[in-house]
Amino acid sequence: MSSNKLSLTRLWAVGSVLVAFGTFGYYAIDGLIDDSQGGSHLVNSFYCSVITLTTVGYGDICPGDMDDLGRLFVVALSFGGLGFFCGPVMDAASSWSRRIPGGAFGPAVFALYCGTLLFVHIEGMDIQRALYCAFITGTTTGYGDLSPKTDAGRVLTAF
């Protein structure tokens, strides 16, 4: 039991390091964020880090007008995200779905419900647009036709 808890601790630690690395890179490297879209540069850096790591890629505020250093950073961060989410996170999620009543369906519906509420209450979307945005975010499709516009919406979407 303690080795499972240790692996979850390591999972959170690695994920936190990846998000921190991504946030720092987006914050420090010029051209990675389109600052004309508004909002806090720190919040936008965190948001871009998470949507890159999770492969959502809305294309709303990032990438901006990047140079070769920015492209190299995004490729490195993307590989880190793929290795993290396609490996340890998928393993952990598969074990959780066996322990939860309803399997993976219950958490998926709950996440869709919470995402829809987020987009309705924080972003002011109607139910249909909010449901659509929650679905394309949760499935990491991220077309970019709808995405969070407020700092609060970007932070909560990242979680």
Side-chain angles (χ1 to χ4, degrees), residues 44-96:
N44 289 345
S45 299
F46 171 71
Y47 168 75
C48 287
S49 174
V50 172
I51 66 170
T52 300
L53 287 166
T54 59
T55 71
V56 172
Y58 288 121
D60 52 352
I61 62 172
C62 53
D65 185 22
M66 34 180 179
D67 58 12
D68 289 339
L69 174 63
R71 288 183 186 93
L72 180 64
F73 169 76
V74 169
V75 166
L77 187 61
S78 297
F79 271 118
L82 285 172
F84 181 65
F85 284 99
C86 292
V89 169
M90 293 298 255
D91 288 343
S94 69
S95 71
W96 296 334

Side-chain angles (χ1 to χ4, degrees), residues 9 26 41 46 93 106 140 153 158:
T9 302
Y26 273 105
H41 191 69
F46 171 71
T140 74

Side-chain angles (χ1 to χ4, degrees), residues 136-147:
I136 64 167
T137 300
T139 59
T140 74
T141 304
Y143 288 124
D145 55 335
L146 289 176
S147 59

Side-chain angles (χ1 to χ4, degrees), residues 3-52:
S3 68
N4 191 16
K5 184 173 178 133
L6 181 61
S7 71
L8 289 178
T9 302
R10 286 183 182 165
L11 187 68
W12 279 106
V14 170
S16 297
V17 167
L18 281 169
V19 170
F21 171 73
T23 301
F24 176 77
Y26 273 105
Y27 190 86
I29 299 172
D30 289 334
L32 286 178
I33 296 175
D34 179 5
D35 288 320
S36 70
Q37 299 298 314
S40 161
H41 191 69
L42 181 60
V43 168
N44 289 345
S45 299
F46 171 71
Y47 168 75
C48 287
S49 174
V50 172
I51 66 170
T52 300

Side-chain angles (χ1 to χ4, degrees), residues 58 108-121 123-139 146:
Y58 288 121
V109 169
F110 180 73
L112 191 59
Y113 174 77
C114 290
T116 301
L117 286 179
L118 162 87
F119 288 120
V120 166
H121 292 291
E123 293 295 318
M125 294 180 185
D126 61 46
I127 294 284
Q128 292 82 7
R129 287 179 184 266
L131 181 62
Y132 168 79
C133 200
F135 187 81
I136 64 167
T137 300
T139 59
L146 289 176

